[in-house]
Amino acid sequence: MVAVQMQDDLRRVLDDDGKVLLGAKVPQVSDEMLHKIFDTMMLTRIMDDRMMRLQRQGRLGFYMKSIGEEASHFAVAPLRPSDWVFPSYREQGAWFWRGYSVTDFVNQMFGNEKDPVKGRQMPVHHSANWLNLVSISSPVGTQIPQAVGAAQAAKIMGKDDVSMVYFGEGTSSTGEFHVGMNFAGVWKSPCIFVCRNNGWAISVPREKQTAAKSFAAKAVGYGMPGIRVDGNDILAILQVTNEAIERARAGEGPTLIEALTYRVQGHSSSDDPSVYRDPKEPEIWERRDPLARLRGYLKQRGLWSEAAEGEISERHNQAITDALAAVDTLGPPPVESMFDDVYEHMPWHIAEQKAWVMSQERTKSPHYHH
Amino acid sequence: MPVMNIIEAVRDALRTQMRQDQRVVVLGEDVGKFGGVFRATSGLHEEFGADRVIDTPLAEAGIIGAAIGMALYGLRPVPEIQFGDFIYPAFDQIVNELAKFRYRSGGQYPCPVVIRTPVGGGIRGGHYHSQSPEALFIHTPGLKVIAPSNPYDAKGLLLAAMRQNDPVLFMEPKRIYRASRGEVPEGEYELEIGKANVVREGSHVTVLCYSGMVSIAEEAAKKAEGQGLSIEVVDLRTLMPFDIDTILASVKKTGRCVVLHEAPKTCGFGAELIAAIQERAMEHLEAPILRVAGLDTPFPYTLEHEYMPNADRLLSTVRQVLEW
């Protein structure tokens, strides 16, 4: 199975080496923003590597890498902080871009007492309401109509905030994709749909998800523009998201963006792609690596040096090392906390169950651990 | 005090709250100009406009999904699911999303959505316009479930639901939408969520019921009175969290209990009530607690009155408990 050919309708700015393509329109992006994206993309990749190594050592229960897809995470870069993002589970870079800290990220992985979601969810199911990053759910697609609702709420309340929602190409098969796209089309909601078409939904290839010519083509049926973009080309990503955001803010409604990319590694730490796909396929895509292409572009612009990259790498690695060292001193969330946040105020039956659990020998023991 | 039916009381609650709180929006199928197939939102579109009384495309998962997003952003959505029987396409959005947002986000994202939906049979609606799916939602941590039986409770509880910060499933008894009439205060008042109401005092046996079954229990109690039988009727009003104190006080007083609900018997809410009582008041019980419930068949069209509980079935079961 050969990797998907780059097609004519695909929006690209950079070639595979990071050179600007002849005649391509380069979006206006400040050097500062490019530096910050490179820096954050580095963090994303380093974090992925470190977390997956921990998982392989048996220290982490579960992890999901995003290597090779990182450029698509920065579709959030042109958003304002007041805009809302409804992520799927493979957009680590979007979290870091918006200001989610290495410490919060690592603590969430361990579900410990400092985990922002109090140990309630598996690794990579973050939530950060202070950054308008919405809590992640495992069932795919549920966030799509929710993002439309938030976008529509902004419109109803007379604000010009927009929503951006991420999902994979496999999710376009769900009812919720249809429902969300349809509601947004009818309501002209300021919502940007970012479909990360990474080729694989666990073991099922993209051609088993749709008979349509592309995922972007589905937009026609919902009365909105559908744009295919090289998902490994950061400049093209910024270009199309800028356009979509402008349209949304101007009251012109939603846009579907299909970011063509590739899941270079497994779906998650529990997956083994060698069982179902040709190992040559990822090799082809490694040559289109989004980080390498951004690096190539920065080099040509004189915005990159080995020393600077070394500093970035060292800084992020150190931050992760520090966060991990702190993890060793942290315990699980207190048992009592399990009963909080089911409702705003604890009803009698949960209070009763809490009292019962807390009265058990196991939880009363001063040596109580997981 | 004005006299209203349940539909009017629901509408009055919506109007009262929408006037007071700009964040309240109504959304659903046909809720706009048409005012809903049961007319619960009639007149709201004219008063509050299309931005706050929103006709949605026809998809329940979208209605609830969009309502969740609206609530996260800062509105107070009150979606309508046209019939309780049509709620299942939204099941995942309700059970896995709406009910879990606060918890799974570590308390970051409360999700104050009040879902209104008509439930119950007796309207010649067949399987798809008659179901009582409350047990599925009572079994869902994070949701509150309210099931009023009369106009006064409907308005007071709906107002209370719209003013608190947890997701609520508000089930309205459609068979008596218009038949149940009573005095309803104008303007605002709230009934406390989680409080049952002893609608009729009695000494021989407690009947626990809610929604459309309360009037059946009252009818049975009246009949029984003539036969020297004193039935205490407890209208639970809120099913989650249910009012264990009022239930226990009544059962301890009478020593006998029958649970009456329209939903299928097996794994119905009655099973939970009985378990909760026997865990706490075994020594007060003079007889086993029995159930009068809908049957474990799908809800039938032609024979719906053979399916549904009625006063005679309740009375025969009450006698069984008394004669045990």
Side-chain angles (χ1 to χ4, degrees):
Chain A
M1 150 94 220
V2 182
V4 166
Q5 296 297 310
M6 293 299 180
Q7 291 163 8
D8 293 343
D9 65 346
L10 193 75
R11 201 81 81 80
R12 300 184 82 193
V13 176
L14 299 174
D15 71 9
D16 287 355
D17 299 320
K19 291 197 188 91
V20 174
L21 289 159
L22 204 63
K25 198 179 113 200
V26 179
Q28 287 216 319
V29 190
S30 68
D31 293 353
E32 191 196 347
M33 190 171 189
L34 285 171
H35 273 301
K36 194 182 162 199
I37 290 174
F38 184 73
D39 189 293
T40 314
M41 214 185 277
M42 287 280 294
L43 169 58
T44 307
R45 189 158 294 186
I46 292 167
M47 181 66 87
D48 271 2
D49 283 341
R50 297 280 301 265
M51 292 304 111
M52 191 56 108
R53 263 189 279 156
L54 284 182
Q55 197 280 335
R56 292 304 185 224
Q57 290 162 11
R59 284 190 64 197
L60 258 191
F62 179 81
Y63 195 70
M64 301 182 97
K65 289 182 78 168
S66 60
I67 184 163
E69 300 181 46
E70 294 97 331
S72 65
H73 303 179
F74 297 90
V76 302
L79 294 173
R80 301 187 304 216
S82 63
D83 294 324
W84 281 56
V85 179
F86 288 73
S88 161
Y89 41 64
R90 209 187 297 281
E91 295 94 20
Q92 286 86 320
W95 291 80
F96 294 133
W97 177 266
R98 298 210 115 197
Y100 195 60
S101 72
V102 165
T103 313
D104 282 342
F105 190 99
V106 167
N107 285 329
Q108 201 282 328
M109 290 307 111
F110 286 86
N112 61 29
E113 60 189 302
K114 293 278 179 69
D115 171 5
V117 302
K118 305 183 186 174
R120 304 264 168 77
Q121 289 226 75
M122 281 174 80
V124 308
H125 292 62
H126 304 280
S127 180
N129 66 344
W130 64 98
L131 303 170
N132 291 340
L133 278 157
V134 174
S135 162
I136 294 173
S137 172
S138 306
V140 298
T142 52
Q143 74 277 19
I144 300 176
Q146 294 166 8
V148 176
Q152 191 63 14
K155 195 170 152 183
I156 290 167
M157 292 166 84
K159 299 184 182 173
D160 66 350
D161 291 336
V162 304
S163 280
M164 181 174 285
V165 56
Y166 278 97
F167 50 93
E169 86 288 350
T171 297
S172 74
S173 301
T174 65
E176 246 100 336
F177 168 81
H178 164 69
V179 154
M181 294 281 289
N182 191 47
F183 272 53
V186 171
W187 286 348
K188 279 195 139 190
S189 306
C191 191
I192 296 128
F193 300 86
V194 182
C195 174
R196 280 184 301 94
N197 175 2
N198 69 9
W200 293 91
I202 306 189
S203 70
V204 180
R206 71 186 80 184
E207 58 271 20
K208 289 194 178 177
Q209 299 293 349
T210 186
K213 192 172 157 237
S214 72
F215 292 95
K218 291 168 183 264
V220 177
Y222 303 104
M224 69 176 83
I227 302 169
R228 291 185 89 219
V229 60
D230 179 344
N232 290 11
D233 175 346
I234 183 64
L235 292 185
I237 293 272
L238 295 174
Q239 190 183 69
V240 300
T241 47
N242 259 321
E243 289 169 13
I245 293 164
E246 269 174 38
R247 287 192 66 246
R249 281 208 218 290
E252 289 165 29
T255 304
L256 170 62
I257 295 169
E258 175 189 352
L260 186 63
T261 181
Y262 188 77
R263 201 193 72 210
V264 173
Q265 296 191 357
H267 166 72
S268 74
S269 53
S270 313
D271 186 24
D272 176 8
S274 72
V275 177
Y276 53 79
R277 75 181 183 191
D278 184 344
K280 290 206 183 73
E281 199 182 279
E283 283 169 23
I284 294 164
W285 281 87
E286 277 161 16
R287 292 203 294 273
R288 293 185 184 136
D289 180 72
L291 182 63
R293 283 166 78 183
L294 175 55
R295 184 188 291 118
Y297 177 70
L298 293 175
K299 259 188 201 173
Q300 292 154 52
R301 295 270 318 272
L303 298 171
W304 179 90
S305 73
E306 206 169 332
E309 179 164 333
E311 180 279 321
I312 293 169
S313 174
E314 201 173 313
R315 174 161 42 84
H316 292 321
N317 268 301
Q318 191 57 50
I320 295 167
T321 302
D322 292 346
L324 287 170
V327 160
D328 291 336
T329 69
L330 296 170
V335 180
E336 299 93 307
S337 76
M338 181 165 63
F339 302 91
D340 297 335
D341 307 317
V342 185
Y343 300 92
E344 182 174 33
H345 306 291
M346 192 180 295
W348 67 268
H349 66 296
I350 295 179
E352 197 179 83
Q353 290 169 21
K354 176 180 173 181
W356 179 74
V357 166
M358 298 315 292
S359 73
Q360 300 295 296
E361 286 309 315
R362 173 181 154 86
T363 23
K364 277 199 300 194
S365 158
H367 305 297
Y368 173 73
H369 289 298
H370 269 308
Chain B
M1 215 184 283
V3 171
M4 295 184 194
N5 62 33
I6 294 177
I7 279 286
E8 290 161 342
V10 164
R11 187 189 305 143
D12 197 40
L14 290 170
R15 188 189 292 121
T16 301
Q17 190 63 10
M18 288 182 83
R19 282 180 182 166
Q20 204 175 85
D21 186 348
Q22 286 287 319
R23 298 171 302 167
V24 177
V25 297
V26 164
L27 68 158
E29 294 155 10
D30 306 297
V31 300
K33 270 190 190 161
F34 184 50
V37 297
F38 288 103
R39 324 297 302 143
T41 58
S42 171
L44 301 182
H45 185 267
E46 287 82 340
E47 181 170 351
F48 301 105
D51 266 0
R52 293 182 66 199
V53 184
I54 306 163
D55 271 328
T56 65
L58 207 165
E60 286 76 13
I63 295 168
I64 304 303
I68 291 170
M70 288 175 174
L72 296 175
Y73 190 83
L75 292 176
R76 312 282 299 201
V78 187
E80 175 180 300
I81 297 294
Q82 198 161 78
F83 282 83
D85 317 68
F86 305 160
I87 206 164
Y88 307 109
F91 198 66
D92 189 45
Q93 285 289 349
I94 297 171
V95 172
N96 269 336
E97 300 293 316
L98 177 61
K100 301 300 181 285
F101 248 102
R102 182 192 288 277
Y103 192 78
R104 82 179 198 211
S105 66
Q108 293 174 19
Y109 282 113
C111 210
V113 172
V114 178
I115 304 171
R116 293 181 38 251
T117 193
V119 298
I123 60 148
R124 298 191 61 74
H127 181 64
Y128 297 112
H129 299 79
S130 306
Q131 295 171 48
S132 298
E134 66 271 16
L136 300 168
F137 300 99
I138 298 166
H139 196 62
T140 296
L143 273 189
K144 289 179 179 170
V145 181
I146 299 176
S149 67
N150 62 67
Y152 176 81
D153 289 356
K155 181 176 172 184
L157 285 166
L158 184 53
L159 278 168
M162 291 187 286
R163 291 168 182 187
Q164 53 86 64
N165 299 317
D166 290 314
V168 172
L169 182 60
F170 194 84
M171 301 180 134
E172 298 166 4
K174 73 169 96 71
R175 180 176 56 82
I176 54 170
Y177 252 160
R178 290 187 174 76
S180 173
R181 298 177 62 79
E183 290 194 330
V184 175
E186 283 180 90
E188 53 178 283
Y189 66 96
E190 278 183 46
L191 291 182
E192 194 180 339
I193 293 168
K195 290 287 173 223
N197 186 24
V198 180
V199 293
R200 186 186 176 97
E201 290 199 23
S203 56
H204 295 146
V205 60
T206 297
V207 172
L208 302 178
C209 53
Y210 51 93
S211 190
M213 287 294 105
V214 175
S215 53
I216 303 287
E218 286 181 296
E219 181 194 335
K222 267 179 219 146
K223 277 190 187 176
E225 205 173 25
Q227 301 158 19
L229 239 173
S230 171
I231 297 179
E232 177 145 308
V233 178
V234 179
D235 178 356
L236 297 178
R237 300 198 286 197
T238 299
L239 310 185
M240 178 50 71
F242 57 94
D243 184 354
I244 189 69
D245 294 335
T246 300
I247 292 169
L248 290 180
S250 176
V251 172
K252 285 177 183 174
K253 183 177 83 176
T254 62
R256 291 178 164 84
C257 181
V258 173
V259 184
L260 170 67
H261 61 61
E262 199 178 315
K265 184 175 185 179
T266 301
C267 280
F269 186 42
E272 178 56 42
L273 292 171
I274 292 168
I277 294 166
Q278 65 84 15
E279 281 166 2
R280 293 168 181 80
M282 192 67 192
E283 70 276 20
H284 297 273
L285 292 174
E286 306 287 346
I289 304 171
L290 297 186
R291 286 171 286 177
V292 178
L295 309 173
D296 291 330
T297 68
F299 196 103
Y301 173 66
T302 306
L303 298 176
E304 69 174 335
H305 292 293
E306 311 311 312
Y307 172 94
M308 287 175 60
N310 55 40
D312 290 339
R313 282 185 192 171
L314 176 60
L315 279 177
S316 76
T317 307
V318 161
R319 276 192 209 97
Q320 242 182 298
V321 166
L322 286 167
E323 288 158 12
W324 190 81

